Amino acid sequence: RLRPDHFSTALFQQVYSAVSAICNEGKQLTLTMLCSRLPEETEDGTPMSAYLAVLLANSEDAGAPDNYIDTVVDAWARRKIITIGEAAVKSATAELKHPLDVASETEAALRDVIGVSTADQVLSIGQVADLAVRETAAAYQGRKKIGFDTGVLALDEIIGPLIPGDLISLLGSSGHGKTALATQILMRASSPSLDNTKGNTSFFISQEMTGIQIVRRVLAAETQIQTRAQRSGSVNQAEYEQLESCATDLRRWPIFIDGTGRQSMSQIANKCRSMKRLHNISFVAIDHVRLIRSSNPRWTEIDTITNAAMELKDLAKDIDVVVLLLAQPTRESQKRETWRVRDQDIFGGDVVKQCSEILISVSLPEKWLRQREPSEQDGKVRATWLADCDSWRDRAEIGVLKARDGEDGLWRKVIFDKER
């Protein structure tokens, strides 16, 4: 996607041209080979070999080159637009051309910029097929894992892996396990990869809970020490040392948590792009969509959610990450005589479903039942209610309301430990 003229300086254009030529010729790229294709010195008299050595050393901590393609091309497009604008101003003020001619020439020049910039991202079906087959080959050979699983076997069997570029929406009523499930999936995504040397880097944007609240859940899951005991300090010496040891282990996990609070969609997108450049994140969880702050004073809450869903879908594809978006059902849907929500129950309308590759529902039936306890007088109904509560004790229900290539409307009962 990059061309030499995308770079702003002549020297960078020369270096990129030389690198491209060597690679396209199938030769091994070395500093010696590269120096042979370039002038002996830079314009300020620095030996080319020394200059390239510094560039190479600086690049080692810069992350993946792919992360900079959009930045370089965008900067090139901005420079072109500025140049076109300056030329248009000069032509318009000189009064040598008819205004319509100036406008027509300016429009044609802008179309060239738009056409070149967007066409670079268009691939033929054969090129895309080659990429897909290469990914499959890498997975088959055990060199690269495609996507992430959730760690919940019953769910993974239905939806398959979560693929970078996907927007996954997780729907559930307040207090029914959304954040718990999202945290578990995020931990699973960040677990050591197939080479056992590095986990996939994840980013949790929590607009509802603080970072400490989230990490206490993780500590509880890892140590089996309840969050309530952690908060109150009701632990013995051995448990405290266990928590300290777990906290030390968590330093090695590539997970970042942003507990800033309510943010606009532009703030969220900018943070995700920065985290992609700095830490090459692969997975983003956002808790939750109703807390995203409107960037337009005229928008309703529905408008804000609609805009967020569309932008997050674009963001997932643009920076090649899985985005897990937490959502809530409408109040009306929670009044029905069932804990199961439907895809049309999403607060914010159908756009969230349309933008999502996968839509998952999670609920705690026992909690739902406890909130609807019948009176003592109705013995038969109460007996049935008690039996239902007992059958759902320490259990949650996960439903798949939309699947990428599987069956919709499937529900699974899973173990849920509310303390951990």
Side-chain angles (χ1 to χ4, degrees), residues 20-34:
S20 298
I22 294 170
C23 291
N24 290 330
E25 292 167 11
K27 297 178 180 178
Q28 184 177 2
L29 182 62
T30 64
L31 282 180
T32 302
M33 173 70 74
L34 188 55

Side-chain angles (χ1 to χ4, degrees), residues 4 72 85 97 123 169 175 233 241 247 280 293 324 351 363 390:
V72 173
K97 291 183 179 179
L123 301 176
S169 292
E241 291 175 358
N280 196 26
R293 184 165 48 79
L324 179 63
V351 175
S363 58
D390 188 60

Side-chain angles (χ1 to χ4, degrees), residues 249-265:
D249 290 339
L250 288 177
R251 293 172 191 164
R252 295 194 291 267
W253 284 69
I255 299 175
F256 296 87
I257 300 175
D258 176 14
T260 303
R262 298 191 66 184
Q263 302 177 61
S264 67
M265 192 56 238

Side-chain angles (χ1 to χ4, degrees), residues 68 106 136 162 173 177 194 227 244 257 284 307 324 331 387 389:
Y68 296 90
T106 303
T136 303
L162 310 181
S173 302
L194 292 180
T227 55
E244 273 198 324
I257 300 175
V284 177
N307 175 73
L324 179 63
R331 287 186 178 181
C389 288

